Amino acid sequence: MRWVCAGPVAIPCPSPPGGWLVLPRSPRLEASRSTPMSSATAQRLTAILHREEEVYVAECPEVGTVSQGDTVEEALANLREATELFLEECPQPALAPRLLTTFEVSVA
């Protein structure tokens, strides 16, 4: 099992044994955001955010990536980057969106 680390969060990635793969902010990734890539495919994924102590935590349930930031926007940008880097390293088949709903519980 290899780990993909984007920022402060490590993400498990199935692969041959190899320890840690550390992926800091990538200049290539930043450049790719401003120039269209013919082989890139856009996918709409889910982001779930919550506040944890002093930071916002963002999670993508379809892929399993998690990141954080000081603001909602930063947490979402970090999640997007972590997910893009993860999918570059560990391509997934077409991802189906999750069904997201709410429910109530009774608390005594």
Side-chain angles (χ1 to χ4, degrees):
M1 166 108 21
R2 188 162 37 165
W3 291 82
V4 177
C5 182
V9 179
I11 305 159
C13 177
S15 66
W20 288 87
L21 177 62
V22 178
L23 300 171
R25 283 202 181 271
S26 164
R28 184 175 59 77
L29 181 61
E30 295 300 324
S32 74
R33 288 188 174 137
S34 60
T35 57
M37 294 176 53
S38 59
S39 63
T41 311
Q43 294 185 40
R44 184 170 302 274
L45 301 172
T46 307
I48 301 171
L49 289 94
H50 69 275
R51 184 94 172 146
E52 192 170 294
E53 296 180 14
E54 299 298 316
V55 297
Y56 289 93
V57 177
E59 174 187 358
C60 175
E62 291 92 347
V63 179
T65 49
V66 178
S67 195
Q68 65 183 24
D70 292 331
T71 65
V72 169
E73 294 79 14
E74 183 182 13
L76 189 55
N78 291 343
L79 178 64
R80 181 178 293 113
E81 180 181 18
T83 303
E84 288 172 349
L85 292 170
F86 177 81
L87 291 173
E88 272 184 18
E89 184 66 24
C90 307
Q92 306 287 311
L95 300 168
R98 300 281 173 106
L99 176 61
L100 182 63
T101 188
T102 60
F103 63 97
E104 293 182 17
V105 296
S106 297
V107 179

